[in-house]
Amino acid sequence: MITTENVKNGVNVDQLMATIEAVQGNPELAKFKFRSKNNWIEGGNCVSSIKSFYGVGEEDTTRDKTFTLECDHPQVLLGKDKAPTPPEVILHALGSCLTGAMVYHAAAQGIDIDAAESSMEGDMDLQGFLGLKPEVRKGFNGITFKIKVKSEATDEQLEELAKYSPVFDMIVNPTPVQIVFER
Amino acid sequence: MITTENVKNGVNVDQLMATIEAVQGNPELAKFKFRSKNNWIEGGNCVSSIKSFYGVGEEDTTRDKTFTLECDHPQVLLGKDKAPTPPEVILHALGSCLTGAMVYHAAAQGIDIDAAESSMEGDMDLQGFLGLKPEVRKGFNGITFKIKVKSEATDEQLEELAKYSPVFDMIVNPTPVQIVFER
């Protein structure tokens, strides 16, 4: 028997529709918990390990490897420049998430995405981080995300799809962070 | 001539103090722009390149390599699990930034950090991303950051230092994102 998978933009649309139906039947399946462990090396150099997550009603057993990510700082920020800074990593996560959200939702709606590339820039005033001016914020004042997409859909349609991005939501809206010290 | 560098927690404190003085004398030096380029591969798989940044009054010329970061999705989210998801990458950036901020500010205040490791968890209801329930947010409902620190400082002192983190600020407070489509 030959079966043809219905794949659009690299997304298996049959599986996507089945997932949506399954979640509609049992909203508990939509609850996910993502995790990361972080080890401090020295200064602003840290290494994270990412593997376990909870979703689709159980602890995941399919991921068979641990992803390792690193952060460091360039020389002008007193680091050894072994890896990108945390704010640069945020830009990577944001760009990937906006693009992925656009691609998945386009697939669900039958819209072809033939190509996509983007660039991001965030501006920051380090007087905030250094504690020199309390009125200056510590993070980016703003981020500009420029994306080139090859698709017959309009900019307005594509922007609406991209905005389903979980990371976009976490950046433009407040997300509570609980800090717990253990000894 | 023998010179002894004043290094605490892996941070060159002399250089940190010189940086703070320089910024106090000329606040323009504190203005940074960080950047990332992102290429869509297929589905929820993207690769970012990170190199150029602006800071200390000029385009950086010291970083001699390009960092490459990838995002993908596990099988249950219709990916090939080649790399962590964007929300997992956010946890990596947040943990690294909270830790780095604590370490730098501790160094500036003469506080020793002997060791630090942390774990993060964020919970998400995919009914938001899937567009099934408009009242469910797309990003994490909340993030818990648990950190074990070996230091003589109190939890309260250390938490105050960690909160200088630029990424923490971007997650707990709104950061505007401008989306620009180009063809």
Side-chain angles (χ1 to χ4, degrees):
Chain A
M1 192 179 85
I2 297 169
T3 57
T4 310
E5 286 189 330
N6 178 13
V7 174
K8 194 177 272 291
N9 310 332
V11 179
N12 186 317
V13 178
D14 295 336
Q15 212 185 327
L16 178 56
M17 292 307 169
T19 303
I20 291 171
E21 263 183 47
V23 166
Q24 281 174 322
N26 180 5
E28 281 301 308
L29 299 178
K31 291 191 175 159
F32 274 68
K33 285 179 200 289
F34 289 111
R35 305 174 186 124
S36 174
K37 287 182 182 171
N38 190 276
N39 280 287
W40 174 58
I41 312 299
E42 62 161 0
N45 183 205
C46 289
V47 175
S48 291
S49 309
I50 295 173
K51 184 169 193 268
S52 82
F53 66 90
Y54 175 93
V56 204
E58 60 185 11
E59 279 297 315
D60 170 69
T61 57
T62 64
R63 182 179 275 172
D64 55 8
K65 51 196 162 303
T66 300
F67 301 115
T68 302
L69 283 86
E70 190 168 356
C71 274
D72 196 12
H73 291 75
Q75 295 165 29
V76 292
L77 297 173
L78 319 186
K80 290 178 182 167
D81 213 10
K82 290 160 67 181
T85 63
E88 289 171 317
V89 172
I90 290 289
L91 296 180
H92 158 58
L94 177 63
S96 299
C97 200
L98 280 164
T99 303
M102 177 184 74
V103 164
Y104 272 57
H105 279 272
Q109 299 190 14
I111 297 169
D112 284 309
I113 304 287
D114 298 316
E117 58 176 58
S118 58
S119 64
M120 280 134 279
E121 186 174 88
D123 70 290
M124 189 180 285
D125 183 340
L126 280 188
Q127 292 182 98
F129 167 72
L130 292 170
L132 297 177
K133 282 200 182 161
E135 72 273 21
V136 172
R137 73 174 295 181
K138 296 158 183 72
F140 285 139
N141 292 305
I143 297 170
T144 303
F145 171 76
K146 289 185 184 168
I147 183 163
K148 265 192 186 176
V149 186
K150 219 175 138 190
S151 168
E152 293 196 348
T154 67
D155 293 357
E156 292 68 27
Q157 276 179 299
L158 295 173
E159 181 167 339
E160 197 185 324
L161 304 180
K163 285 182 171 173
Y164 281 102
S165 158
V167 170
F168 176 75
D169 174 27
M170 283 189 260
I171 298 294
V172 300
N173 297 307
T175 302
V177 177
Q178 191 193 1
I179 300 178
V180 181
F181 276 86
E182 297 175 335
R183 295 294 172 133
Chain B
M1 191 180 84
I2 297 169
T3 57
T4 310
E5 285 188 332
N6 177 15
V7 174
K8 192 175 275 289
N9 309 334
V11 179
N12 186 317
V13 178
D14 295 336
Q15 212 185 328
L16 178 55
M17 292 308 170
T19 302
I20 292 171
E21 262 183 51
V23 167
Q24 283 175 319
N26 180 5
E28 282 300 308
L29 299 178
K31 292 192 176 159
F32 275 67
K33 285 180 201 289
F34 289 111
R35 305 175 187 125
S36 174
K37 287 183 183 171
N38 189 275
N39 280 287
W40 174 58
I41 312 299
E42 61 161 1
N45 183 205
C46 290
V47 175
S48 291
S49 310
I50 295 172
K51 184 171 194 265
S52 82
F53 67 89
Y54 176 93
V56 203
E58 60 186 10
E59 280 296 316
D60 170 69
T61 55
T62 65
R63 183 180 275 173
D64 54 11
K65 51 196 162 301
T66 300
F67 301 116
T68 303
L69 284 86
E70 190 168 358
C71 274
D72 196 11
H73 291 75
Q75 295 164 29
V76 293
L77 297 174
L78 318 187
K80 291 181 179 163
D81 213 10
K82 291 160 69 181
T85 63
E88 289 171 318
V89 172
I90 289 289
L91 296 179
H92 158 58
L94 178 64
S96 299
C97 199
L98 280 164
T99 303
M102 176 184 76
V103 163
Y104 271 58
H105 279 272
Q109 298 189 15
I111 297 170
D112 284 308
I113 305 286
D114 298 317
E117 57 177 56
S118 58
S119 63
M120 280 133 280
E121 185 174 87
D123 70 291
M124 188 180 287
D125 183 339
L126 281 190
Q127 293 182 98
F129 167 71
L130 292 171
L132 298 175
K133 282 201 184 160
E135 71 274 22
V136 172
R137 74 173 293 181
K138 294 158 184 73
F140 284 139
N141 291 304
I143 297 170
T144 304
F145 171 77
K146 289 185 183 169
I147 183 163
K148 265 193 185 176
V149 186
K150 218 173 138 191
S151 170
E152 294 197 347
T154 66
D155 293 355
E156 291 69 28
Q157 277 178 298
L158 295 173
E159 182 167 338
E160 196 184 326
L161 303 181
K163 285 182 170 172
Y164 281 103
S165 158
V167 170
F168 175 75
D169 174 27
M170 283 188 260
I171 297 294
V172 301
N173 297 308
T175 302
V177 177
Q178 191 195 359
I179 300 178
V180 181
F181 276 86
E182 297 174 335
R183 297 290 172 137

